[in-house]
C-alpha cells in the first residue's frame, strides 16, 4: 500500500476481486452438471420398449396369431413398480388394464393380445380380435391415475393424441 492511499479503497478492491472469482467458480461448478445431464437423454423408469403390431404370418385370428401381436413394457429402475390399474391403449380405444401386477426392477413384461395364462414375463389381454393396426397406431401407457407415462407410434399418426 502506498503511503497516503486510503485503506478502505485497497480493501474494497480486494473484496471485489474475491467476489468476482467466487462467482466465476460457482458458475463453472453449476454449469458442468447441467451440461453432463443434457448429454444423457432422459429414460423414463417405465416405458414401452418394443411393439410387435403385425403378428408374423397370416392374420387368421387364431390364438397363436393373436399372441404374436404384443407390446413390451420395461422397468429401467432397480426397484419394482406396481402396475395395478395402469392401462395400455390403442388409438381406437381398446384398453388393457393391469390387475395385481408388479414389474420387477430391470425387467420386461410382454402384453399379448390373445388368450393365455399370465406369468411374471407375459400377460394376456384375452381378446379374440387384433388390437394393433398394422398400418398406423399408437400404444399409450398411463399410470393408475391416468397420467401419461409413455407411447410408441408407427405409420402415419392419425390423431396424435397422448
Amino acid at each position: 500500500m502506498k503511503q497516503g492511499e486510503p485503506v478502505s479503497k485497497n480493501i474494497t478492491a480486494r473484496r471485489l476481486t474475491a467476489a468476482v472469482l467466487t462467482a466465476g467458480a460457482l458458475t463453472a461448478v453449476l454449469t458442468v452438471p447441467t451440461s453432463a445431464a443434457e448429454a444423457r437423454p432422459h429414460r423414463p423408469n417405465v416405458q414401452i420398449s418394443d411393439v410387435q403390431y403385425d403378428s408374423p404370418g397370416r392374420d387368421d385370428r387364431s390364438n397363436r396369431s393373436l399372441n404374436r401381436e404384443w407390446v413390451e413394457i420395461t422397468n429401467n429402475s432397480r426397484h419394482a413398480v406396481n402396475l395395478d390399474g395402469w392401462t395400455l391403449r390403442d388409438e381406437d380405444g381398446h384398453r388393457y388394464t393391469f390387475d395385481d401386477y408388479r414389474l420387477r426392477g430391470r425387467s420386461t413384461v410382454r402384453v399379448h393380445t390373445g388368450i393365455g395364462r399370465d406369468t411374471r414375463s407375459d400377460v394376456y389381454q384375452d381378446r379374440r380380435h387384433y388390437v394393433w393396426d398394422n398400418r398406423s397406431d399408437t400404444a399409450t401407457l398411463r399410470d393408475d391415475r391416468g397420467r401419461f407415462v409413455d407411447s410408441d407410434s408407427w405409420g402415419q399418426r392419425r390423431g396424435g393424441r397422448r
Side-chain angles (χ1 to χ4, degrees):
M1 173 165 30
K2 293 182 186 170
Q3 197 173 30
E5 185 178 325
V7 176
S8 64
K9 194 175 188 183
N10 196 13
I11 292 173
T12 303
R14 284 187 198 165
R15 286 183 180 163
L16 185 58
T17 302
V20 168
L21 291 174
T22 302
L26 283 174
T27 302
V29 167
L30 294 174
T31 303
V32 171
T34 303
S35 299
E38 288 173 3
R40 203 175 38 232
H42 172 69
R43 249 172 89 182
N45 285 343
V46 178
Q47 71 180 76
I48 296 173
S49 51
D50 200 5
V51 179
Q52 177 63 53
Y53 54 85
D54 186 4
S55 61
R58 274 188 42 229
D59 288 348
D60 59 8
R61 286 196 184 159
S62 69
N63 195 51
R64 180 179 172 153
S65 179
L66 288 166
N67 283 329
R68 287 183 170 174
E69 180 182 84
W70 46 257
V71 176
E72 285 185 344
I73 311 290
T74 299
N75 178 1
N76 296 308
S77 75
R78 293 181 303 157
H79 306 287
V81 174
N82 184 358
L83 297 184
D84 188 39
W86 287 42
T87 59
L88 180 63
R89 186 175 176 199
D90 75 340
E91 287 184 352
D92 291 327
H94 299 104
R95 180 187 320 224
Y96 171 75
T97 303
F98 286 89
D99 182 35
D100 194 31
Y101 185 83
R102 193 164 187 79
L103 183 57
R104 288 192 203 178
R106 307 217 191 286
S107 295
T108 297
V109 63
R110 189 174 278 185
V111 181
H112 299 272
T113 298
I115 298 168
R117 185 168 178 233
D118 293 350
T119 66
R120 186 172 293 156
S121 59
D122 297 276
V123 295
Y124 298 84
Q125 296 189 46
D126 295 333
R127 295 183 183 274
R128 298 186 189 279
H129 300 283
Y130 297 99
V131 170
W132 309 109
D133 191 315
N134 293 351
R135 284 168 289 199
S136 69
D137 210 342
T138 299
T140 302
L141 181 66
R142 293 187 181 272
D143 68 13
D144 59 339
R145 293 186 177 168
R147 291 181 297 213
F148 176 83
V149 175
D150 194 22
S151 68
D152 192 5
S153 297
W154 54 95
Q156 294 280 336
R157 291 184 73 180
R158 295 184 297 202
R161 289 174 272 153
R162 274 191 159 189

